[in-house]
């Protein structure tokens, strides 16, 4: 009986532990499921697409499917991102497929019969300079994973203008005493600044892919556009900072040095260069492997080659921005060194002034015999203090004359040179005016 009770107690404990683990897993999924965005499309191969349910099935015939997972940007570990993908893609994907999509660093190869590539930077997920894009490609389906929203990656109904989301107002106008209503479009300043940093159209203008190869080119194109947007934003920000530095004074430059603004910007540029370098490693291999697929079109191979060229030019542009940042930081460092040298000059000037005075006061302050004007009881030495002050004043005048004479001499010399040049110019002008007729030679030259 005791053994049966023990077995029954073990089974109940096992059931409680299993239920607790299931509750914890359900709580974890409930906590993070709303943070992951999932989109699924099916394309008919003739330029049309439809939204579909998330079943991770492949298309048939000319049809192909696209499943996209958008991971949240935040302070989360890599294991949390892997858990998100496991919840969204398992089954039918295996753990090896998940790891090939979520791991950091560049990769391009075949995993379980599918072509997988990723360009995942190892920086913090909350940083604006951390990018993650990965794709698993088969003949009739594409599965992609991105960190945060990638502009222009999805699709929206055609003909929908970007200004449809911008509010419009009716403002009254007066013409010849008549009251008229006038409609206008209101765009906030920060929205307009964001639109100026965009080098591409929005999702409504995306051409619908007619094949898997078109979709792969579209995914890589949007990744390059996203990098281009970041570079354009950096250029605009850097231009504004240079303008502030030209207009600002001591407080502005000191604030930039205290905030370490340019070292942080240089670190972000290095992260961006790392992402571009990963793309330079991965995308040529993608082009090489896709060229062997019978379902990958030749024109899309040429499009991949153009995107690789864009990425290389973008790397050169980021290098130019890094040089500008280094030049601005060098200017700030030289300005800071100049401020320090100026303060040290003032301190050395004061020390040179007070050094002779301290020597004089030290000599007359010695408590030994034979020092002049130190007898307090002798009435004929009552002017000793005044004499010492006279000596200190004379020494101060000599020191100041030594400092001021070079500057005074340079001013007098420059004035004298300017006066001599003016005198010589007036003499040459008078002699030129007194000369008789000036004969013009054949080739247009004047004989002086």
């Amino acid at each position: 009986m005791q053994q049966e009770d023990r077995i029954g107690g073990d089974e109940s404990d096992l059931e409680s532990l299993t239920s607790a683990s299931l509750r914890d897993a359900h709580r974890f999924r409930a906590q993070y499921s709303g943070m992951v965005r999932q989109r699924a499309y099916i394309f008919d191969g003739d330029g049309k697409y439809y939204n579909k349910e998330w079943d991770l099935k492949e298309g048939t015939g000319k049809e192909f499917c696209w499943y996209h997972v958008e991971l949240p940007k935040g302070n989360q570990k890599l294991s949390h991102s892997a858990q998100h993908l496991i919840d969204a893609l398992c089954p039918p994907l295996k753990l090896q497929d998940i790891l090939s999509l979520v791991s950091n660093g560049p990769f391009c190869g075949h995993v379980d019969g599918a072509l997988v590539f990723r360009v995942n930077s190892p920086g913090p997920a909350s940083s604006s300079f951390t990018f993650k894009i990965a794709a698993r490609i088969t003949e009739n389906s594409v599965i992609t994973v991105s960190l945060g929203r990638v502009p222009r990656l999805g699709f929206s109904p055609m003909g929908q203008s970007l200004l449809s989301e911008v509010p419009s107002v009716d403002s009254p106008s007066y013409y010849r005493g008549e009251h008229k209503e006038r409609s206008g479009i209101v765009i906030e300043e920060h929205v307009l600044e964001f639109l100026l940093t965009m080098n591409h159209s929005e999702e409504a203008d995306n051409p619908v892919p007619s094949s898997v190869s078109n979709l792969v080119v579209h995914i890589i194109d949007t990744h390059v556009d996203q990098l281009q947007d970041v570079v354009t934003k950096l250029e605009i920000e850097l231009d504004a900072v240079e303008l502030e530095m030209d207009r600002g004074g001591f407080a502005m430059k000191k604030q930039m040095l205290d905030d370490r603004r340019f070292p942080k910007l240089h670190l972000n540029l290095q992260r961006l260069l790392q992402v571009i370098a990963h793309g330079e490693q991965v995308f040529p291999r993608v082009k090489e492997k896709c060229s062997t697929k019978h379902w990958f079109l030749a024109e899309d191979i040429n499009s991949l080659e153009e995107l690789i060229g864009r990425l290389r030019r973008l790397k050169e542009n980021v290098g130019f921005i890094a040089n500008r940042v280094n030049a601005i930081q060098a200017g700030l460092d030289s300005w800071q060194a100049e401020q320090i040298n100026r303060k040290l000059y003032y301190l050395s000037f004061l020390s040179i002034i007070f050094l002779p005075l301290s020597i004089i006061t030290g000599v007359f302050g010695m408590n030994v015999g034979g020092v002049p004007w130190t007898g307090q009881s002798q009435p004929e030495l009552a002017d000793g203090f005044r004499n010492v002050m006279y000596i200190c004043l004379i020494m101060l005048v000599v020191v100041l004359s030594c400092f001021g004479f070079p500057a005074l001499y340079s001013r007098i010399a420059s004035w004298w040179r300017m006066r001599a040049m003016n005198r010589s110019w007036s003499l040459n002008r008078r002699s030129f005016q007194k000369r008789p007729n000036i004969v013009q030679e054949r080739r247009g030259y004047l004989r002086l």
Side-chain angles (χ1 to χ4, degrees):
M1 290 294 294
Q2 294 179 356
Q3 185 176 3
E4 291 178 357
D5 294 340
R6 187 180 302 110
I7 293 174
D10 294 340
E11 291 179 353
S12 62
D13 293 340
L14 181 60
E15 290 179 356
S16 62
L17 289 174
T18 304
S19 61
S21 62
L22 289 175
R23 285 196 303 270
D24 293 340
H26 179 71
R27 188 182 303 111
F28 180 83
R29 293 187 181 185
Q31 181 179 0
Y32 291 102
S33 60
M35 301 171 62
V36 180
R37 298 183 59 184
Q38 300 175 357
R39 288 184 289 182
Y41 303 99
I42 183 170
F43 302 88
D44 60 357
D46 295 326
K48 296 182 180 179
Y49 76 98
Y50 308 95
N51 295 323
K52 69 183 301 291
E53 61 181 355
W54 189 269
D55 53 6
L56 297 177
K57 293 181 180 179
E58 295 190 0
T60 56
K62 293 175 59 178
E63 295 181 347
F64 58 96
C65 301
W66 179 29
Y67 304 94
H68 178 67
V69 181
E70 184 179 309
L71 297 176
K73 291 182 71 72
N75 295 321
Q76 60 178 355
K77 298 181 180 179
L78 190 62
S79 59
H80 292 168
S81 300
Q83 183 64 44
H84 293 328
L85 292 185
I86 290 173
D87 294 340
L89 302 177
C90 289
L93 267 64
K94 302 177 182 179
L95 182 60
Q96 182 182 4
D97 300 326
I98 300 298
L99 294 179
S100 64
L101 291 173
V102 77
S103 300
N104 289 328
F107 175 77
C108 180
H110 289 88
V111 178
D112 198 12
L115 176 61
V116 177
F117 73 87
R118 69 169 184 264
V119 183
N120 296 343
S121 56
S126 59
S127 175
S128 301
F129 295 87
T130 301
F131 301 90
K132 294 181 184 292
I133 186 71
R136 183 181 185 272
I137 307 167
T138 59
E139 186 175 356
N140 293 104
S141 71
V142 177
I143 298 175
T144 56
V145 180
S146 69
L147 179 63
R149 179 182 179 272
V150 180
R152 206 175 62 88
L153 183 61
F155 298 93
S156 61
M158 294 295 293
Q160 181 179 357
S161 174
L162 186 65
L163 294 179
S164 62
E165 303 295 331
V166 178
S168 60
V169 296
D170 293 332
S171 58
S173 62
Y174 297 90
Y175 178 72
R176 294 182 179 179
E178 297 180 359
H179 179 77
K180 296 182 179 181
E181 294 293 334
R182 182 179 57 186
S183 61
I185 296 176
V186 178
I187 303 179
E188 297 291 338
E189 184 179 359
H190 66 280
V191 177
L192 187 59
E193 290 179 354
F194 170 73
L195 295 177
L196 289 174
T197 61
M198 295 170 55
N199 295 277
H200 49 75
S201 57
E202 269 299 311
E203 296 177 352
D205 298 326
N206 286 338
V208 179
S210 58
S211 63
V212 174
S213 59
N214 292 154
L215 182 57
V216 172
V217 171
H218 169 73
I219 293 168
I220 298 177
D221 187 16
T222 53
H223 174 69
V224 177
D225 282 341
Q226 187 182 18
L227 297 178
Q228 182 67 51
D229 290 345
V230 175
V231 173
T232 304
K233 186 177 180 181
L234 281 175
E235 289 178 343
I236 295 175
E237 181 182 356
L238 199 58
D239 292 338
V241 169
E242 290 178 348
L243 185 60
E244 289 179 2
M245 287 185 60
D246 292 338
R247 294 180 178 178
F250 179 85
M252 176 67 68
K253 296 179 181 179
K254 190 175 185 305
Q255 184 67 30
M256 289 183 180
L257 288 171
D258 294 340
D259 294 341
R260 295 182 56 82
R261 186 169 183 177
F262 292 104
K264 294 177 182 178
L265 184 58
H266 192 270
L267 180 61
N268 292 330
L269 285 173
Q270 296 304 315
R271 291 175 178 172
L272 187 60
L273 281 173
Q274 186 181 27
V275 176
I276 297 175
H278 288 172
E280 282 187 328
Q281 296 176 21
V282 172
F283 296 147
R285 297 180 61 187
V286 172
K287 181 182 75 91
E288 179 183 355
K289 293 183 180 296
C290 288
S291 61
T292 61
K293 307 292 184 182
H294 67 277
W295 43 265
F296 209 93
L297 302 179
E299 58 208 29
D300 293 328
I301 296 292
N302 297 331
S303 300
L304 286 179
E305 185 65 32
E306 292 177 2
L307 291 175
I308 294 170
R310 278 187 58 193
L311 204 61
R312 290 169 181 167
R313 291 190 297 269
L314 190 62
K315 184 178 180 180
E316 295 177 358
N317 197 6
V318 174
F320 294 151
I321 295 176
N323 293 334
R324 288 178 62 186
V325 172
N326 291 333
I328 295 175
Q329 183 63 38
L332 284 177
D333 292 339
S334 63
W335 175 81
Q336 188 179 23
E338 182 182 354
Q339 297 298 318
I340 295 174
N341 293 333
R342 185 176 299 176
K343 293 178 180 179
L344 292 176
Y345 173 78
Y346 293 152
L347 291 176
S348 61
F349 181 74
L350 293 176
S351 63
I352 290 175
I353 289 176
F354 286 100
L355 181 61
L357 303 181
S358 61
I359 293 175
I360 294 173
T361 55
V363 169
F364 284 96
M366 290 188 296
N367 195 10
V368 294
V371 180
W373 307 318
T374 57
Q376 302 295 330
S377 58
Q378 301 179 7
E380 62 275 8
L381 300 178
D383 296 333
F385 178 77
R386 185 179 60 187
N387 297 333
V388 173
M389 289 296 102
Y390 285 159
I391 294 176
C392 293
L393 182 61
I394 293 171
M395 185 61 66
L396 182 62
V397 171
V398 171
V399 171
L400 292 178
S401 300
C402 293
F403 272 95
F405 179 75
L408 182 62
Y409 176 78
S410 62
R411 285 181 177 274
I412 294 174
S414 62
W415 174 79
W416 186 263
R417 285 195 300 270
M418 186 63 67
R419 186 169 178 267
M421 289 176 61
N422 292 334
R423 183 182 299 174
S424 63
W425 169 251
S426 62
L427 292 176
N428 292 333
R429 186 177 180 182
R430 291 176 184 174
S431 61
F432 182 78
Q433 291 177 353
K434 288 181 180 179
R435 293 202 175 188
N437 298 329
I438 300 175
V439 180
Q440 185 175 3
E441 294 188 350
R442 294 180 180 178
R443 296 183 182 179
Y445 292 99
L446 294 178
R447 178 175 296 177
L448 300 179

